[in-house]
Amino acid sequence: MTGVVGAIIEAWDELRIHRVRVLLALIGVACAVTAITGISAAVTMVGQAMQEETERMGGRDTTLEAWSMGGGTMSAAEVDAVVDGVADRHQISYYSVRATADLRVRGAETGTYVDWSAVDVDSGTITRQDMEDGRWFTDSDSERLAPVLVVNRAFLNAYADGAPASAHPSVVIEGETPVAATVIGEVPVQWNGEEPRAMMLFDQAIRWFPNRVTADGYRFWVPPELAGQFAEVLPRDLAAAGVPFDVQKPPVEVFAIDRVLQYLVLGVGGFALLLGGLGLLNIALVTVRYRIREIGIRRSFGATSGRVFFGVLMESVVATTVAGVVGVVIAVAIIKNIPIDLIFGRPIDDLPGFPFDAALVGMACAIGIGALAGLIPAIYAVRVKVIDAIRY
């Protein structure tokens, strides 16, 4: 242990003496480590952003989609009661109906279409529902005497004179008994030119419009390890209860684009790291030739070939280790200060911390290139004969 510590201290002293020679090579190594470490961390962040965007469209990563197969005679309320019983029996905590409704808003122009849907409170959690203004549904909303709505900007512009959701504008929904509904939230626009879209709680929808609501879909957010099992059990239990549903397994998303980008930048970073290592190798060879007499004198006073080999090797390893630490610190600083809102258009809900494995990869690359760059000079130093080295 003493020999190792001594070799490291000696290598550091030699680096201080020859710091001007190795500085440029180490800058290249540090930049390459920054690129490798930063890209590895950035890909993790991009993957999380893409996953969350996918989950906003189709539910969490282990969400089972269930679609009605038709042929039933039950009302929407009866179907929902059966699904509630099956979900409770299997202790599924998060699930939501995806019902469609045929409703018309008073004052709508002829041919105007509103995309109506009825959901449960859990739908906001399952789909990571963001709010542009106002709030999402709560359990207490189902007990209100009048329905509440969560709509998009197109709906507000068409039926509420563009009023913000925080002002709680009211609209009248036509039917046998017209009812005034209050807007409590606005969801972000999904695409340019989006048509008016409105959501209400399923319990309120079947209370006020029982014959104009169809419970034709459900989402079940289940534990990852039970997704396959539930995909087989749920359709069997629902069919046995008289409501046949086709339950689809969650898709396995493979984000190939970010992986290709990762490999591309890692390749460039690896090439830059190799160039830095070659520069360090060249400098190390020159330094060993310059110190050949010193090495011969040390050998004549009893320094073993192993000590000389390890000492020369550690000079490159210590140098690239320092460069690796600097590169990792720079990468962490860059990743932590990335303007996520500007890049992705919205914040990441579950922002991953800086991946420790990315830092390990960067440090491993730095130490590895240092060992390779120091191997040839170390072998050269050991093979020099003592008498020839002293005469050099």
Side-chain angles (χ1 to χ4, degrees), residues 124-144:
T125 302
I126 295 174
T127 59
R128 293 183 179 271
Q129 183 62 66
D130 292 331
M131 300 303 299
E132 195 74 23
D133 188 22
R135 63 175 179 85
W136 181 251
F137 301 113
T138 62
D139 292 331
S140 61
D141 288 331
S142 61
E143 304 300 326
R144 298 178 63 158

Side-chain angles (χ1 to χ4, degrees), residues 20-210:
V20 177
R21 296 182 180 180
V22 301
L23 182 59
L24 292 178
L26 293 184
I27 290 176
V29 172
C31 292
V33 171
T34 299
I36 293 173
T37 306
I39 290 301
S40 298
V43 166
T44 301
M45 186 180 298
V46 171
Q48 179 65 22
M50 295 178 67
Q51 178 178 339
E52 290 187 7
E53 193 63 29
T54 301
E55 290 175 355
R56 289 185 180 95
M57 300 299 295
R60 303 276 181 155
D61 54 348
T62 53
T63 298
L64 302 179
E65 298 270 1
W67 298 99
S68 175
M69 300 177 65
T73 59
M74 295 184 181
S75 65
E78 292 171 335
V79 171
D80 192 63
V82 171
V83 174
D84 286 343
V86 172
D88 290 341
R89 184 164 66 251
H90 291 290
Q91 298 181 346
I92 300 177
S93 301
Y94 293 96
Y95 66 97
S96 173
V97 64
R98 300 181 64 190
T100 56
D102 181 18
L103 305 175
R104 181 176 175 81
V105 181
R106 177 176 295 177
E109 297 180 359
T110 303
T112 302
Y113 173 76
V114 178
D115 182 12
W116 284 96
S117 60
V119 298
D120 292 322
V121 176
D122 287 344
S123 178
T125 302
I126 295 174
T127 59
R128 293 183 179 271
Q129 183 62 66
D130 292 331
M131 300 303 299
E132 195 74 23
D133 188 22
R135 63 175 179 85
W136 181 251
F137 301 113
T138 62
D139 292 331
S140 61
D141 288 331
S142 61
E143 304 300 326
R144 298 178 63 158
L145 298 179
V148 293
L149 306 177
V150 173
V151 301
N152 64 352
R153 172 46 53 181
F155 185 97
L156 292 172
N157 291 338
Y159 304 108
D161 297 327
S166 55
H168 303 304
S170 295
V171 296
V172 177
I173 303 176
E174 299 285 7
E176 296 180 1
T177 304
V179 58
T182 303
V183 176
I184 61 172
E186 177 189 348
V187 295
V189 176
Q190 293 181 334
W191 56 79
N192 293 331
E194 184 182 21
E195 296 294 327
R197 180 165 58 99
M199 291 174 281
M200 70 168 55
L201 284 174
F202 179 78
D203 291 341
Q204 291 184 330
I206 60 176
R207 182 191 309 165
W208 290 98
F209 314 103

